[in-house]
Amino acid sequence: MPGRRSQGESSRRRRRRRSRARSRSARAELSFSVSHMERLLREGRYAQRLNWSTPIFLAAVIQYMTAKVLELAGDEAQKTGCRCITPEFLDMAVHNNSLLCDFFRTTIISQVAPPWD
């Protein structure tokens, strides 16, 4: 019959309707929350208007910077034979990288306390 649909087509349509809404972070494949970035941008009143892509871009940049700093700190920890990243390793990672050193010039990462013995 021309008016009848096959069983496969109707089940595909049902699946499509039941699909859950994905967050903007999931659609952008980011770990950092796009909605949180947008809320912070709006509450900070940095601009009168925001482009729809601004919080996505900001979340991606912050995620990349965090991953880079943690990767460098992990390398520093591995060089010394430690398995944990401490604030000292974060500080060393930032100050041993020329680009990050300029970026974090006025930032104090932590007052490094002596390790627990």
Side-chain angles (χ1 to χ4, degrees):
M1 280 186 187
R4 254 180 104 90
R5 292 187 183 103
S6 67
Q7 179 63 28
E9 185 182 343
S10 63
S11 65
R12 266 187 255 126
R13 284 184 183 210
R14 267 187 263 128
R15 256 185 275 137
R16 209 176 294 141
R17 261 187 263 131
R18 275 190 262 148
S19 65
R20 291 187 176 152
R22 292 177 63 198
S23 69
R24 290 184 289 173
S25 300
R27 280 183 276 162
E29 297 179 3
L30 294 172
S31 300
F32 281 50
S33 173
V34 172
S35 299
H36 185 71
M37 295 297 159
E38 183 176 23
R39 195 192 76 213
L40 292 174
L41 284 168
R42 290 191 188 283
E43 286 177 358
R45 300 201 182 274
Y46 297 106
Q48 287 182 347
R49 298 186 302 172
L50 287 178
N51 190 334
W52 63 270
S53 63
T54 303
I56 298 168
F57 183 78
L58 181 62
V61 168
I62 292 176
Q63 180 175 321
Y64 172 78
M65 293 291 292
T66 303
K68 192 66 175 172
V69 169
L70 286 173
E71 177 187 351
L72 293 171
D75 293 344
E76 290 290 335
Q78 210 169 29
K79 282 181 195 174
T80 60
C82 293
R83 297 182 69 200
C84 295
I85 295 174
T86 62
E88 183 180 8
F89 293 129
L90 288 170
D91 194 47
M92 287 170 53
V94 166
H95 285 91
N96 289 341
N97 185 302
S98 61
L99 294 174
L100 290 176
C101 188
D102 287 343
F103 189 73
F104 289 105
R105 185 179 311 125
T106 59
T107 304
I108 297 172
I109 291 181
S110 137
Q111 299 296 330
V112 179
W116 299 88
D117 289 325

